[in-house]
Amino acid sequence: MAASTDLPVTFDGERTPQAPRSRNLLAACFTHALHDGCTDGLYAFLPVWQAQFGLSYAALALVRALYYGTMGGLQIPADRALRGVSARAALILATVIAAMGFLIMALPLGFAGLCVGLVVAGVGSSIQHPRGSMLVTDSYGDASRRPLGMYNFSGDLGKAIVPALVAVTLPVLAWRPVLGLMALLGIAVALGLRSWAPKTPVVARARVKTQRGHGRGGFGILTTIGALDTATRMGYLLFLPFLIHAKGGNSPTVGVALALLFIGGALGKATCGWLGERLGVVGSVIVTEVATAALMAATLLTPLTPTLIVLPLLGVVLNGTSSVLYGTVPELSDGDTGRAFAVFYTSVVVSGGAAPILYGAIADHSNQTIGILASAATAALIAPLVMLLKPHLRATASTT
């Protein structure tokens, strides 16, 4: 059955004017940085909540799951429910809902209020990823691969900035006022979105017919690769602190190691989208995943100082592949790009939650080295798997 899809075009039929595109990208990036930053900022509150409410580690994990489970589980339903709403309006709604969740947590409503606030904030964040990606894709059309890389990079910036600010502020203020400040930050960004992003793209609209179920295909393969790529990353992050300790490092050294890996990861998000344009999807994913497997193995063999030197480079390839994969979602979406992003992000969130459990079980029944090698093997598995995508991708020239 034929379905019509609105694609933004310029007067030559390809993309929107530069100014609205840039403003839409700015709006999506600010929103992504805020939501991802606040998401990772919650880690800083876990020890405080454990002491405040007398939670066991298992109970603390369940409290954490209220947010992450809601965020991951509602992405597809949220995208479906907001199908008739513009991406700009959806981002404003997402940010306001998330801010309301943080405000509820900041109120003196006890443990029940904390749990309700986490769920509400998760509902808001469930909207952000697919709709933010959709705003960038709508604005840039076929040229969206690099902007999507910038969009993903902004999330890593948020993850670096907001948790650090939370960690610095918590010793000065009680945890509820800090959450209140995070809620105010969300409201400020939501208000800013009203002026950053135009209500509608200043473009001509082209009606393009898409045959449902008869597009390029390959989206299931892409989603599987995305899940495996996330599993590799989360698996290695599980073992890295223990690996550093085994090499003679202490807790500050673990912090340095994580920072080096995350700095490389942020750089990878910014550069691997560019690499995808030069080598194509298949070539760039093979390069990054083979390098990921090799560098993971190298950190098992090197002493502490060389390991720390390797970590930023490992971060580039470990985290950068996702930019190439996200940029390919619109190409393989069969025209329903919003739902495709929702499905893709859901698979990534589920994989990110399940992978540490699986690799941890492997290590429990063997040792830490086998656990890391299992993560590296997952990365290596992606290299032949991505070859299956080649027939589904359009031919792209390596142009500057």
Side-chain angles (χ1 to χ4, degrees):
M1 177 178 175
S4 26
T5 305
D6 283 337
L7 297 179
V9 295
T10 56
F11 307 106
D12 63 4
E14 289 184 355
R15 62 184 74 167
T16 66
Q18 181 64 36
R21 283 192 294 154
S22 299
R23 290 168 63 189
N24 285 343
L25 178 60
L26 180 66
C29 287
F30 264 96
T31 309
H32 195 196
L34 172 73
H35 282 260
D36 276 22
C38 289
T39 296
D40 277 24
L42 291 175
Y43 281 106
F45 292 97
L46 295 182
V48 181
W49 292 339
Q50 184 181 42
Q52 176 86 24
F53 300 108
L55 302 174
S56 67
Y57 286 109
L60 199 63
L62 288 175
V63 169
R64 175 184 176 274
L66 290 174
Y67 177 88
Y68 288 90
T70 304
M71 179 181 66
L74 291 184
Q75 292 201 45
I76 295 175
D79 176 70
R80 185 180 296 117
L82 297 174
R83 187 63 57 90
V85 178
S86 71
R88 169 187 176 273
L91 288 184
I92 294 174
L93 178 64
T95 306
V96 169
I97 293 175
M100 291 302 100
F102 280 95
L103 181 59
I104 292 171
M105 286 186 269
L107 296 175
L109 301 176
F111 183 66
L114 173 65
C115 293
V116 171
L118 285 168
V119 171
V120 173
V123 171
S125 289
S126 72
I127 301 170
Q128 183 271 140
H129 271 129
R131 303 308 291 177
S133 302
M134 196 68 217
L135 178 59
V136 176
T137 303
D138 278 347
S139 300
Y140 285 84
D142 288 343
S144 62
R145 185 177 299 279
R146 187 178 295 182
L148 282 171
M150 296 174 63
Y151 168 75
N152 283 299
F153 173 62
S154 69
D156 283 273
L157 286 180
K159 291 176 182 179
I161 295 172
V162 176
L165 291 176
V166 171
V168 169
T169 311
L170 272 176
V172 180
L173 302 174
W175 63 272
R176 293 187 193 277
V178 176
L179 286 168
L181 291 175
M182 294 170 73
L184 289 177
L185 179 61
I187 294 298
V189 171
L191 292 174
L193 285 172
R194 292 175 57 84
S195 52
W196 292 334
K199 291 184 179 179
T200 55
V202 186
V203 295
R205 309 296 295 185
R207 306 293 294 183
V208 178
K209 298 295 183 179
T210 303
Q211 297 293 330
R212 293 193 186 275
H214 293 82
R216 296 182 184 278
F219 180 70
I221 301 173
L222 181 71
T223 301
T224 301
I225 292 172
L228 292 175
D229 178 65
T230 301
T232 299
R233 185 162 55 255
M234 296 305 179
Y236 188 77
L237 283 171
L238 173 68
F239 297 115
L240 180 59
F242 303 99
L243 179 66
I244 297 301
H245 278 298
K247 293 177 183 290
N250 53 22
S251 294
T253 311
V254 170
V256 170
L258 290 170
L260 290 172
L261 190 71
F262 291 149
I263 289 169
L267 181 61
K269 285 284 185 70
T271 58
C272 285
W274 172 86
L275 183 67
E277 292 180 347
R278 296 306 185 273
L279 299 183
V281 175
V282 173
S284 57
V285 170
I286 288 176
V287 168
T288 55
E289 295 297 352
V290 170
T292 294
L295 290 172
M296 279 185 177
T299 61
L300 289 172
L301 303 174
T302 53
L304 179 59
T305 299
T307 296
L308 295 175
I309 294 172
V310 167
L311 284 176
L313 182 57
L314 174 58
V316 169
V317 292
L318 184 66
N319 214 34
T321 309
S322 60
S323 287
V324 180
L325 300 177
Y326 293 149
T328 310
V329 170
E331 185 176 339
L332 301 181
S333 66
D334 282 348
D336 195 351
T337 308
R339 182 180 183 278
F341 272 120
V343 171
F344 189 87
Y345 280 117
T346 299
S347 72
V348 165
V349 171
V350 171
S351 175
I357 299 173
L358 174 61
Y359 292 125
I362 292 174
D364 285 340
H365 289 83
S366 53
N367 55 54
Q368 170 189 293
T369 298
I370 299 300
I372 294 176
L373 289 176
S375 298
T378 304
L381 176 65
I382 294 174
L385 182 61
V386 76
M387 295 296 294
L388 299 177
L389 271 183
K390 198 167 187 177
H392 305 286
L393 298 169
R394 61 170 177 260
T396 54
S398 296
T399 57
T400 55

